[in-house]
Amino acid sequence: MTYTSPLPVQDVQKYRGSSLELADLTMAYGDIEVLRQVSFTVQPGTTTCIIGPSGSGKSTLLRGVNRLHEPKSGDVLLAGESALTVKPDRLRTRIGLVFQHFNLFPDHTALENVALSLRNVKGMPKAQAREVAHRRLAEVGLAERTDHRPRDLSGGQQQRVAIARALAMEPEVMLFDEVTSALDPELVKGVLNLMATLGQRGMTMVVVTHEMKFARRVADQVVFMDEGKVVEVGAPADLFDNPQSPRLQRFLSEVL
Amino acid sequence: MDWLDNIIKTFFDWEAMWAVFPQLLGTGLVNTLVISLAATVIGVVLGMIIAVMGISTSAWLRIPARIYTDIFRGLPAILTILLIGQGFARFAQSIFGPSPYPLGILALSLIASAYIGEIFRAGIQSVERGQLEACRALGMSYGKAMRLVVVPQGIRRVLPALVNQFIAIVKDSSLVYFLGLLVSERELFRVGQDAAVLNGNLSPLVMAGLFYLVITVPLTHLVNYFDNRFRTGRRKAAPPKSGLDELDELDETPVPVPPLTYGSNT
């Protein structure tokens, strides 16, 4: 089931999300396997939320998809092609990642944060990079704050800059790693709304989150992980209203 | 008050001090600054190379950097200066001529680079790992990420330590006199010492000491001032404002961003 935008199509930026498929993905830190044979498919333009207790390997999974940490075995298929056979730097321009702690460049303004990789990875001329960066920041509601440095922005604003920075590379898939966990409570909804909007506009998204309401209402698919394995996959209604495994039942009883 | 007279004659013989002043200013100070600045510039360049090698994942780069640092930090400066200044004198003669001046600068640079390398390494490693990861996640190579984002932040954090290192180099530059300098190449200490021998009292050396203090003390305090500013930040207090204001930002954007209507599709 896809989420339809309430706005006329021509008014909004449309994204072309690609499909993402994890096939028996196994990841290890040293000898310890922290992710074991994880498999699921994310259809183009859909949102998959990954939930699960801490230590279940959710963040590790995201880092495996864009190869910040190289998988041990298995495969990641981006738009049907193995992501493990292309150059990591090239792959990462196609997969955006937003971090829990923003990781903005503190000595750059919001605009420079977005423009830096446009110039140095995409090779855009300076004027064009700044123009694109300005547009991206406007999209996330920060047109008035392009010259602020991160420390002069709230957590929610910083996270929106981080999202704009990732979007500027025109990724086919966006990964979100607990992006609202470090925010003050009143700022969470703004960021979640923004993410929901991206989903509506056709972005393929994998969202690691503890926001169960968000998962229930925005996700097309929910993945429950525990101890490095996928325990349950399904539509949000199925997982939240009718959990099968005792693990998920226990988890939901603790967080809902 | 014989002893007081003695002290004044030995350390504060005004005429002797005044007599050596022009030489200290025209020759000594110039040479001290030239030696120190040259050694600092070369030391910074070498130190940066050593630092980047030192944090490399490749042991082939890391271990040589470690050994280099251990040697030049572990040896007394005077020993390094003599070994290099005299050991390579014949070799250097074909390049620089008979003056030991360049070799003195080189020796000071090598010593300084070992310390500066450690300062840079500490600074670079103090930059949160997330900075590098954010760059890599955007598709930047390791080299670009370090050059554009991580290293500049690291350098900014250690600027006070670098100025301290410059002060240490200024003081160590006095050791170059061991190599035997031409008259025109004498730095502050040598100028003061020669005059002290001629005068039969230490006043010229005291004058030379004042010159050192004029360089080092203001710098020390400047560093402390900036160090404090870096630590406490220079943000002005702002009047209280409501975090709720920014909740409207997403609604006011020129590019329409539809608000999420919860539950409309479930």
Side-chain angles (χ1 to χ4, degrees), chain A residues 1-238:
Chain A
M1 55 179 180
T2 41
Y3 203 104
T4 46
S5 167
L7 278 178
V9 170
Q10 67 270 20
D11 280 4
V12 295
Q13 164 91 35
K14 291 292 279 182
Y15 301 107
R16 286 174 163 271
S18 292
S19 68
L20 183 72
E21 189 182 341
L22 276 57
D24 287 332
L25 188 68
T26 299
M27 295 179 63
Y29 291 118
D31 290 335
I32 301 165
E33 286 191 354
V34 289
L35 213 64
R36 289 181 215 143
Q37 306 206 307
V38 169
S39 300
F40 60 82
T41 303
V42 184
Q43 297 298 336
T46 66
T47 298
T48 293
C49 284
I50 302 179
I51 61 172
S54 61
S56 56
K58 307 182 297 288
S59 296
T60 305
L61 185 151
L62 294 188
R63 300 165 66 83
V65 170
N66 79 350
R67 292 172 67 190
L68 276 183
H69 190 81
E70 290 288 346
K72 187 179 171 192
S73 63
D75 206 351
V76 176
L77 302 173
L78 178 62
E81 288 164 31
S82 174
L84 302 184
T85 54
V86 297
K87 274 189 157 184
D89 288 343
R90 174 83 193 87
L91 173 73
R92 292 184 192 124
T93 62
R94 298 172 60 191
I95 301 177
L97 174 61
V98 185
F99 301 85
Q100 178 177 3
H101 294 291
F102 329 136
N103 294 349
L104 294 181
F105 311 132
D107 46 349
H108 290 58
T109 64
L111 190 81
E112 291 162 353
N113 261 279
V114 181
L116 186 71
S117 53
L118 291 175
R119 289 204 66 193
N120 292 288
V121 179
K122 286 209 160 188
M124 276 186 198
K126 190 174 178 184
Q128 190 191 355
R130 290 180 71 87
E131 192 198 318
V132 172
H134 200 284
R135 235 183 5 247
R136 294 299 180 186
L137 285 169
E139 262 172 54
V140 299
L142 292 170
E144 305 294 311
R145 299 187 193 270
T146 52
D147 294 331
H148 285 57
R149 294 197 184 234
R151 65 165 182 214
D152 296 320
L153 297 170
S154 77
Q157 289 164 338
Q158 288 187 53
Q159 197 57 293
R160 282 187 275 140
V161 174
I163 291 172
R165 183 173 70 175
L167 282 177
M169 298 302 289
E170 297 180 316
E172 299 159 39
V173 174
M174 285 282 283
L175 311 175
F176 294 86
D177 190 3
E178 295 189 29
V179 294
T180 57
S181 300
L183 300 182
D184 287 345
E186 81 274 15
L187 304 177
V188 168
K189 209 171 97 188
V191 172
L192 292 182
N193 280 344
L194 175 62
M195 288 159 64
T197 310
L198 299 182
Q200 291 164 23
R201 294 176 182 175
M203 182 58 76
T204 305
M205 304 202 295
V206 180
V207 183
V208 169
T209 188
H210 291 298
E211 300 287 337
M212 295 302 149
K213 267 196 202 161
F214 175 82
R216 179 190 278 261
R217 285 169 177 152
V218 175
D220 301 287
Q221 169 180 254
V222 177
V223 176
F224 173 67
M225 289 181 60
D226 194 19
E227 294 180 329
K229 284 181 283 201
V230 172
V231 181
E232 274 189 56
V233 186
D238 295 341

Side-chain angles (χ1 to χ4, degrees), chain B residues 157-177:
Chain B
R157 291 178 191 198
V158 297
L159 277 181
L162 279 185
V163 179
N164 277 333
Q165 191 56 41
F166 175 71
I167 291 170
I169 293 170
V170 169
K171 292 185 286 181
D172 278 355
S173 68
S174 61
L175 296 172
V176 173
Y177 95 95

